[in-house]
Amino acid sequence: MIYEEKTIESIPVGPLGLIPLKSCADLGAKVDRWLVEWRRERESDHKSTIAFAGYQKDSYVIEANTPRFGSGEAKGCLGTSVRGDDLYLMVDVCNYSLTYSLCGMTNHMSPDDHFQDLKRIIAAAAGKARRINVIMPFLYESRQHRRTSRESLDCALALQELTRMGVENIITFDAHDPRVQNAIPLQGFETVQPIYQFVKYLLKEETELQIDSDHMRVISPAEGGMSRAVYFANVLGLDMGMFYKRRDYTRIVNGRNPIVAHEFLGSSVEGKDVLIIDDMISSGESMQDVAKELKRRKARKVFVCATFGLFTNGLSRFDEYYENGYIDRILTTNLVYQTPELLSRPYYINVDMSKYIALIIDNLNHDDSLSELLNPTKRINKLLARYRGGQQ
């Protein structure tokens, strides 16, 4: 059964309110369109009852702004009442394209600025909403997920701060380390894997792949991402391999120990297509080195799949690696800001996550289980069956 045709079996928690902050405006607009379309077409005898008041709207987006003073200080403002609403706030803490004036100078917004704006909008709701849920695709400070010396534990502190402000559910994607949720054991926390969307968009662009253990491998570019690659390989029925980073611990360059070499563990990739799976592309150096090593080992095609494409060092080296045949395709999602330059690259595949987010919001608003949505095995098997049968 198509999800959009599901019958209504539970009363909504409250009237749905969607608040995409400015950092997430484009993605929020797409999510809103899905929700409007589904709820307009969904039939139920109960929709005329008072429990479903406001169920069908032309838009679920609630106007919210975070204007700034000349000093750089800001405030959160809501354009309408949210009393009794089930609110879903969306924020992209990685959107550096937004700017504000600071004492006459132009300042680009950092993750800290976006997180503060999120708290301002929560504060503007002033405890009047029925429930507050935060959809933060890139989890704020998620790379600072554990303490190894005298250092701050920023991600855990941020999660605790949100829950103290009344947030009941936090939805994120491909958290760097899901164990950070232990900081808020009594609140709802979901980290979602976009594996189905990666497979869907790859098969849409590549029409002659053979997805079986004889022709394809899943590769983890580092030991820290092993669980992600194992999950991906198991769902697709593929074998996997991994690289581990040999570092020089006698030096620190740009805040980290430099990588000396990438050592490979796994069976031969000669003549096989490989999927390199990771949570993010930051500078991209690791991905580039791994792709080059795989091509040196005579891999046929190399596909890079990362949930978040940050590309902090720009795209020039990726352009070079594509032209030299080291990388065939790069897939990242629209969960974080994408530059026009990235979207124009011939090797880039943009994985749209708006429908998936809309499904999660719709389920949560009805207080339905997310189990089927979070486990993509059935959907992937159907997708592969259609692909092997020549259907796109």
Side-chain angles (χ1 to χ4, degrees):
M1 181 181 67
I2 300 174
Y3 179 84
E4 296 88 306
E5 297 174 355
K6 67 175 280 189
T7 56
I8 298 172
E9 298 176 351
S10 58
I11 296 173
V13 173
L16 176 60
L18 186 64
I19 305 181
L21 273 70
K22 193 175 180 180
S23 60
C24 225
D26 292 341
L27 180 59
K30 292 180 180 179
V31 170
D32 183 50
R33 284 196 292 271
W34 283 113
L35 292 168
V36 169
E37 179 183 341
W38 294 338
R39 295 194 170 197
R40 181 181 295 132
E41 297 175 355
R42 188 174 294 159
E43 295 299 329
S44 172
D45 295 335
H46 306 291
K47 282 168 62 174
S48 59
T49 65
I50 192 170
F52 283 79
Y55 191 75
Q56 291 178 308
K57 295 180 180 178
D58 293 332
S59 175
Y60 297 96
V61 173
I62 293 172
E63 182 187 353
N65 296 296
T66 51
R68 290 184 178 265
F69 303 102
S71 61
E73 298 167 297
K75 62 180 178 180
C77 304
L78 293 175
T80 186
S81 172
V82 295
R83 186 179 294 276
D85 287 357
D86 186 25
L87 297 182
Y88 293 82
L89 282 69
M90 298 175 61
V91 59
D92 173 13
V93 299
C94 296
N95 192 338
Y96 60 88
S97 69
L98 301 179
T99 60
Y100 61 91
S101 177
L102 176 62
C103 297
M105 298 177 289
T106 299
N107 201 38
H108 284 263
M109 292 187 70
S110 71
D112 292 343
D113 293 317
H114 289 299
F115 186 67
Q116 286 299 120
D117 279 354
L118 171 65
K119 292 192 295 181
R120 290 179 177 115
I121 296 301
I122 295 172
K128 302 300 189 297
R130 175 71 54 83
R131 186 174 68 174
I132 295 178
N133 313 271
V134 168
I135 298 176
M136 186 186 296
F138 186 97
L139 188 60
Y140 175 69
E141 291 286 3
S142 57
R143 282 192 280 185
Q144 184 53 22
H145 59 281
R146 67 173 184 263
R147 175 180 286 151
T148 56
S149 61
R150 299 183 193 92
E151 57 188 16
S152 59
L153 200 53
D154 298 60
C155 189
L157 288 173
L159 292 176
Q160 291 177 352
E161 191 170 8
L162 289 178
T163 57
R164 283 196 299 268
M165 295 185 73
V167 174
E168 291 193 32
N169 293 300
I170 297 173
I171 308 296
T172 189
F173 285 78
D174 209 351
H176 194 65
D177 188 341
R179 291 174 296 183
V180 74
Q181 67 185 286
N182 294 335
I184 50 169
L186 300 181
Q187 263 67 39
F189 181 97
E190 297 291 348
T191 175
V192 186
Q193 293 283 349
I195 175 173
Y196 170 75
Q197 286 75 18
F198 278 138
V199 176
K200 175 182 175 181
Y201 280 85
L202 178 62
L203 298 188
K204 190 183 294 184
E205 297 291 335
E206 297 286 331
T207 58
E208 298 179 352
L209 297 179
Q210 291 179 277
I211 303 180
D212 56 55
S213 57
D214 293 327
H215 298 91
M216 187 172 280
R217 292 281 187 275
V218 174
I219 303 295
S220 173
E223 61 275 19
M226 274 290 289
S227 60
R228 185 180 297 106
V230 167
Y231 177 65
F232 209 114
N234 286 343
V235 171
L236 293 178
L238 306 178
D239 293 332
M240 66 155 294
M242 67 159 284
F243 284 83
Y244 73 89
K245 300 173 184 177
R246 191 148 51 85
R247 294 180 180 273
D248 180 0
Y249 286 99
T250 64
R251 297 186 297 136
I252 294 179
V253 178
N254 294 329
R256 62 181 183 176
N257 303 107
I259 299 169
V260 177
H262 285 86
E263 306 290 354
F264 182 64
L265 299 175
S267 57
S268 172
V269 297
E270 184 174 352
K272 295 179 172 59
D273 299 322
V274 293
L275 298 170
I276 307 174
I277 307 298
D278 210 354
D279 60 335
M280 72 181 76
I281 298 174
S282 185
S283 65
E285 293 175 5
S286 294
M287 287 291 195
Q288 292 158 359
D289 291 344
V290 166
K292 193 172 184 178
E293 284 293 320
L294 289 169
K295 282 291 188 175
R296 191 173 67 82
R297 289 172 167 79
K298 301 180 180 179
R300 191 177 83 96
K301 284 190 174 184
V302 173
F303 304 109
V304 174
C305 299
T307 307
F308 307 108
L310 306 181
F311 301 101
T312 57
N313 285 3
L315 298 171
S316 57
R317 284 203 68 190
F318 283 102
D319 294 342
E320 178 187 332
Y321 272 57
Y322 171 68
E323 291 165 4
N324 292 333
Y326 296 133
I327 292 175
D328 293 273
R329 292 282 193 174
I330 295 177
L331 295 87
T332 69
T333 70
N334 63 340
L335 294 171
V336 294
Y337 171 68
Q338 300 161 299
T339 63
E341 292 76 20
L342 174 64
L343 294 171
S344 69
R345 292 302 194 265
Y347 53 82
Y348 180 68
I349 299 176
N350 177 23
V351 179
D352 182 15
M353 298 296 294
S354 60
K355 185 176 182 180
Y356 197 17
I357 293 175
L359 290 170
I360 292 172
I361 291 174
D362 197 40
N363 261 37
L364 282 176
N365 182 238
H366 280 277
D367 233 1
D368 288 341
S369 171
L370 296 181
S371 300
E372 190 174 341
L373 285 177
L374 299 180
N375 184 357
T377 306
K378 289 182 181 178
R379 285 176 289 150
I380 289 175
N381 288 337
K382 289 181 182 178
L383 184 65
L384 293 180
R386 291 199 305 269
Y387 184 78
R388 289 164 180 151
Q391 302 175 23
Q392 290 298 312

